Amino acid sequence: MSFSTDIKNEVTKLDSTKTEYISELSAIIRNTSQIENSIKIHLENNSVARRIYKLFKDIYGISPIVTVRKRYNFNKNLNYILEIKEKVNTILKDLSIYSENMEYLNIPSDYIISDEEELRAYLRGVFLSVGSINDPKTSRYHLELALDNKDYANFINDILNSYYLNSRILKREKHYMVYIKEAEKISDFLRIIKAYNAVMYYEDIRIYRDHKNMTNRLNNCEQANIDKVFITSNNQIKDINILKENDMLDLIDEKLKEVIEYRLKYRESSLQELSEIITLETGKKITKSGLNHRFRKIKEIVNNLNTKK
């Protein structure tokens, strides 16, 4: 069972007011039905099919005709077809699918989303009919709503962004996809449609993944620092070896001899660690900056040797 299915199964069990049910049903019919002399609704989710059946029965006193078919592909899911043959025009006008003049309405009338709860119910209906969310445990963060029309896609996108969800629209071959990529915004969407169990699951996974990513970043930074220490130490030892090969060690001052001695003794130490070791063992304080200055002087001597050669 997919994460999207879990969400849909959860929100189909919500209790709402009659006006909220109408808003939810309006979105579902708008996005899933074929309308001729009857209303045919095609679905793959059993819970959504049961929800629609119940809504028609409670609101309009109609029991849709239900047909269940096997899908003709490798997917083992079933197709559910709900057909309404009674009060068709009344229902279509009531749900703002058609106008009073029986003209198709691409965008529903204002009364369908006239308050906050009806707006949330409408978005819930859109998700139930054409929405999906990737499981945060197994994939990237992604929510999408597959819509059939540019104007309608803009309408839904505007609603989502009224909640500051940073949604965008992408044109596909046969439809428009309204999508959200940010984990925090997807979690906010789940709150809006009242999928609270899904929110808890999503947040747990998101926090775990964020923590894991932070740990990986810290490990990478630590490894980068280790690599930097190794490269720095290796270059300093190379300079020291050049001084040895040219019998220069006896010609340099005692301070430089001291850092050479400690570098050869503590090859894997960083400059900070080496400065602390020298300070502790000699009783003479030397900072990381001071230590670095001495190694630069050694580098200058080596560079002068190379230049003369």
Side-chain angles (χ1 to χ4, degrees), residues 145-274:
L145 306 169
L147 307 173
D148 63 358
N149 179 276
K150 183 178 181 180
D151 291 338
Y152 187 65
N154 285 326
F155 168 71
I156 296 300
N157 192 55
D158 289 343
I159 293 176
L160 293 175
N161 285 325
S162 71
Y163 290 101
Y164 306 102
L165 297 184
N166 295 343
S167 64
R168 290 185 171 87
I169 301 174
L170 179 65
K171 176 70 171 68
R172 291 277 178 84
E173 288 184 5
K174 296 183 179 180
H175 62 269
Y176 290 83
M177 182 179 75
V178 177
Y179 67 95
I180 301 172
K181 286 288 189 183
E182 299 171 55
E184 183 180 351
K185 302 302 182 182
I186 295 174
S187 186
D188 289 342
F189 175 85
L190 292 173
R191 289 188 184 91
I192 289 167
I193 66 171
K194 300 184 178 181
Y196 297 123
N197 290 336
V199 171
M200 295 295 291
Y201 171 83
Y202 203 87
E203 285 298 304
D204 284 346
I205 300 300
R206 185 169 76 89
I207 291 169
Y208 168 77
R209 286 185 64 182
D210 288 350
H211 176 73
K212 184 177 179 180
N213 290 338
M214 178 61 74
T215 301
N216 288 339
R217 283 194 292 272
L218 290 174
N219 288 339
N220 290 339
C221 287
E222 183 178 353
Q223 184 60 48
N225 287 333
I226 291 171
D227 292 343
K228 184 178 178 181
V229 167
F230 173 79
I231 292 169
T232 300
S233 175
N234 194 45
N235 288 336
Q236 291 166 351
I237 291 170
K238 283 181 180 179
D239 289 340
I240 292 169
N241 288 335
I242 290 172
L243 293 181
K244 281 184 177 181
E245 292 168 4
N246 288 273
D247 296 324
M248 294 289 295
L249 290 182
D250 291 335
L251 301 177
I252 59 177
D253 63 43
E254 294 300 319
K255 290 183 178 180
L256 298 185
K257 287 180 181 178
E258 184 178 64
V259 298
I260 288 173
E261 176 187 350
Y262 276 94
R263 170 46 78 201
L264 294 175
K265 188 176 179 182
Y266 300 98
R267 291 171 178 255
E268 296 180 359
S269 298
S270 66
L271 285 178
Q272 181 62 43
E273 292 168 341
L274 197 60

Side-chain angles (χ1 to χ4, degrees), residues 49 75 134 139 142 161 167-168 233 264 283 294 296:
N75 194 320
N134 288 350
S139 186
H142 183 77
N161 285 325
S167 64
R168 290 185 171 87
S233 175
L264 294 175
R294 295 187 189 183
R296 281 203 305 269

Side-chain angles (χ1 to χ4, degrees), residues 127-141:
F127 181 77
L128 286 173
S129 53
V130 292
S132 66
I133 298 179
N134 288 350
D135 190 327
K137 185 186 293 184
T138 59
S139 186
R140 66 195 186 282
Y141 301 122

Side-chain angles (χ1 to χ4, degrees), residues 1 5 8-9 12 28-29 31-34 39-54 56 64-72 75-84 128-129:
M1 187 179 294
T5 301
K8 292 177 182 182
N9 290 346
T12 52
I28 294 172
I29 300 303
N31 289 291
T32 64
S33 65
Q34 293 178 347
I39 302 171
K40 280 188 178 181
I41 307 158
H42 295 260
L43 301 159
E44 297 177 10
N45 185 291
N46 179 269
S47 294
V48 179
R50 289 175 182 272
R51 173 80 160 186
I52 295 170
Y53 186 95
K54 180 180 184 301
F56 272 109
I65 301 167
V66 180
T67 305
V68 181
R69 293 177 180 170
K70 289 185 178 180
R71 301 184 65 184
Y72 295 101
N75 194 320
K76 296 181 180 180
N77 292 340
L78 299 173
N79 270 343
Y80 300 90
I81 303 171
L82 281 70
E83 186 173 11
I84 297 92
L128 286 173
S129 53

